[in-house]
Amino acid sequence: MLLNPPGLLPADLLPHWPYAQAIDQALTDQGIPPGIVRVERTYRRRDVTMYLVLIWDVSRCAGLGGIQLTWQEDSGWCHALLRGSPGSVIRRGPLAALHRVFAPPEAVADVADSLVSRHFSNYEAQWHGEWDRAQEVRTAIDAFRCRL
């Protein structure tokens, strides 16, 4: 479980931190914690965007490369394949199985497990639900923007 945000920013500057913790816990419960986690936001004065990046390198994945999942507060979850040399990324686009921006952490963990294990069974499932604390985090993000 992530006790502190990875990176330079404290939790009070990351209003989406509760979602990151819930995702991390669901991944840990599923037995597939990512090797790299980034909980960040853009630094533009206007249009600040909250995001998460979860990375499993090739040593943690079945197949020939790693997996990267990225979440943005305005568009939800997308994924990329990590291949060969550092920085070699094949962007695959939105995760069609996760229909909500704040997909339930258990759904994210199921899809991540499918991608990391390359079994793809749960990747075909459709997850339409939303995380039960989504509105709380949206409100915190709005309040954060008002302070800028």
Side-chain angles (χ1 to χ4, degrees):
M1 178 77 178
L2 294 172
L3 300 177
N4 295 303
L8 301 174
L9 296 176
D12 64 328
L13 295 178
L14 300 166
H16 57 306
W17 176 240
Y19 190 49
Q21 287 180 305
I23 295 294
D24 182 65
Q25 186 61 56
L27 291 168
T28 299
D29 291 348
Q30 188 88 6
I32 53 162
I36 298 172
V37 177
R38 289 184 55 209
V39 183
E40 290 284 346
R41 64 181 176 84
T42 58
Y43 291 92
R44 294 176 297 229
R45 187 81 174 132
R46 298 184 190 271
D47 295 330
V48 173
T49 301
M50 310 300 161
Y51 66 93
L52 308 170
V53 179
L54 308 170
I55 298 173
W56 292 265
D57 67 20
V58 68
S59 71
R60 295 173 179 261
C61 294
L64 300 174
I67 298 289
Q68 175 179 304
L69 297 184
T70 304
W71 173 86
Q72 290 188 358
E73 61 163 308
D74 55 352
S75 58
W77 290 94
C78 65
H79 71 297
L81 304 175
L82 307 176
R83 296 284 190 230
S85 62
S88 177
V89 176
I90 301 169
R91 305 231 180 264
R92 303 298 293 179
L95 278 170
L98 301 173
H99 290 276
R100 304 277 187 214
V101 169
F102 284 91
E106 298 76 21
V108 175
D110 281 347
V111 171
D113 185 43
S114 294
L115 293 170
V116 168
S117 68
R118 305 289 206 270
H119 289 130
F120 301 108
S121 58
N122 290 335
Y123 184 70
E124 296 301 322
Q126 299 293 306
W127 300 94
H128 293 277
E130 184 171 69
W131 183 47
D132 58 355
R133 293 181 57 198
Q135 189 55 48
E136 174 187 329
V137 174
R138 284 187 185 104
T139 301
I141 290 171
D142 290 343
F144 175 83
R145 285 198 177 101
C146 287
R147 294 191 317 247
L148 293 179

